């Protein structure tokens, strides 16, 4: 079965620090990759997604992620975080086009706290 | 996303009670999903439905049942609630294209005493 690992469970940063959150998945075939964000008290919102093409994907609010197929990774980055980035971040994977189930598998989440 | 709504938003109930959580969407999507979120465990899939006549168990379906009343409505029931079903429940939809981007509702916080 597919699995998604987010190694950083809780990250604390100061404003303006750089951010990188790790995500690794287990599926060896074609994948679609997502990062969702959940701000305090809110529902999940899509931050960015990768389906094909340029492995460096840019999302909303200055976030980007790089798909490295050889490492089964899709790490999320932001050069300079803001207090408003305090949230929980979820990586998710599903089998690519033609996959049997097209279900999303989520990681356990990384809670980011940005200190002003 | 206002296109996916969930009712109720909060519910406190007692062990053994039957509870129904409802989800409605105006996105016109065929696919709907129910997840539960627990601290440190992320989101886990309970049930999913690819159309009105298609219902499938997810990874943690025990103790839950669902009903897809229409394309736009997907309900989750706890026949006899137990305390370890205390969690945040999310409904999501997708249009089933190759992207399978899912759109989430605001969540229902359920507490079982």
């Amino acid at each position: 079965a597919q699995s998604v690992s987010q190694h950083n469970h809780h990250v604390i940063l100061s404003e303006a620090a750089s951010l990188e959150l790790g995500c690794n998945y287990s599926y060896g075939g074609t994948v679609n990759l997502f990062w969702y964000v959940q701000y305090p008290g809110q529902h999940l919102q899509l931050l960015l997604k990768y389906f094909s093409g340029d492995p460096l994907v840019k999302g909303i609010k200055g976030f980007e992620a790089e798909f490295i197929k050889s490492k089964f990774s899709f790490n999320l980055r932001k050069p300079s975080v803001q207090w408003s980035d305090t949230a929980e971040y979820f990586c998710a994977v599903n089998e690519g086009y033609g996959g049997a189930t097209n279900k999303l598998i989520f990681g356990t989440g990384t809670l980011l706290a940005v200190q002003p | 996303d206002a296109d996916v709504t969930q009712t109720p938003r909060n519910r406190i109930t007692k062990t053994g009670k039957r509870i129904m959580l409802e989800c409605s969407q105006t996105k016109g999507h065929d696919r709907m999903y129910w997840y539960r979120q627990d601290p440190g465990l992320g989101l886990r899939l309970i049930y999913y439905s690819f159309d009105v006549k298609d219902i499938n168990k997810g990874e943690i379906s025990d103790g839950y049942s669902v009903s897809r009343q229409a394309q736009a409505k997907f309900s989750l029931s706890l026949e006899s609630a137990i305390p370890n079903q205390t969690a945040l429940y999310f409904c999501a939809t997708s249009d089933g294209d190759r992207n399978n981007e899912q759109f989430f509702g605001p969540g229902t916080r359920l507490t079982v005493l």
Side-chain angles (χ1 to χ4, degrees):
Chain A
Q2 285 192 51
S3 64
V4 178
S5 298
Q6 291 183 243
H7 308 296
N8 315 104
H9 299 295
H10 197 178
V11 173
I12 302 173
L13 294 174
S14 298
E15 276 193 314
S18 65
L19 170 71
E20 180 161 1
L21 301 182
C23 173
N24 289 90
Y25 61 93
S26 61
Y27 184 64
T30 303
V31 291
N32 296 331
L33 298 155
F34 306 82
W35 275 98
Y36 282 87
V37 60
Q38 185 178 29
Y39 297 104
Q42 296 188 27
H43 61 284
L44 276 77
Q45 304 170 40
L46 184 68
L47 206 51
L48 49 78
K49 58 190 177 185
Y50 170 82
F51 300 127
S52 63
D54 189 344
L56 185 61
V57 179
K58 295 192 183 299
I60 60 172
K61 303 186 180 185
F63 286 91
E64 65 179 30
E66 185 175 12
F67 170 53
I68 303 179
K69 188 175 182 179
S70 60
K71 294 184 178 181
F72 295 84
S73 71
F74 189 56
N75 293 353
L76 181 70
R77 300 193 293 248
K78 186 171 183 179
S80 177
V81 295
Q82 300 173 321
W83 177 80
S84 58
D85 293 325
T86 294
E88 192 160 17
Y89 294 81
F90 294 93
C91 181
V93 175
N94 80 321
E95 298 170 12
Y97 184 70
T101 61
N102 233 3
K103 294 183 294 182
L104 277 182
I105 306 298
F106 283 86
T108 54
T110 296
L111 198 56
L112 171 65
V114 179
Q115 298 175 333
Chain B
D1 190 321
D3 297 325
V4 184
T5 58
Q6 292 182 233
T7 56
R9 295 293 311 279
N10 289 283
R11 181 73 183 268
I12 300 173
T13 191
K14 295 182 179 180
T15 298
K17 294 291 187 181
R18 183 178 188 274
I19 296 296
M20 178 179 285
L21 309 183
E22 299 187 353
C23 176
S24 295
Q25 52 112 348
T26 59
K27 299 188 75 69
H29 290 169
D30 285 326
R31 301 185 175 195
M32 298 187 75
Y33 309 79
W34 274 105
Y35 294 90
R36 66 176 279 175
Q37 183 183 18
D38 298 276
L41 297 179
L43 276 78
R44 294 180 291 167
L45 184 62
I46 306 172
Y47 271 95
Y48 61 103
S49 169
F50 283 176
D51 64 42
V52 174
K53 296 180 181 179
D54 177 79
I55 303 289
N56 303 280
K57 293 182 177 181
E59 58 181 308
I60 54 162
S61 59
D62 287 348
Y64 301 95
S65 62
V66 290
S67 173
R68 184 81 184 268
Q69 300 96 323
Q71 186 206 36
K73 295 185 183 295
F74 191 37
S75 300
L76 175 72
S77 293
L78 288 68
E79 297 301 326
S80 180
I82 56 177
N84 76 2
Q85 291 178 312
T86 293
L88 189 54
Y89 291 84
F90 286 104
C91 174
T93 75
S94 72
D95 63 6
D97 72 0
R98 65 185 298 269
N99 297 334
N100 198 37
E101 177 182 343
Q102 294 188 14
F103 298 84
F104 286 81
T108 295
R109 184 167 296 281
L110 177 66
T111 302
V112 183
L113 301 177

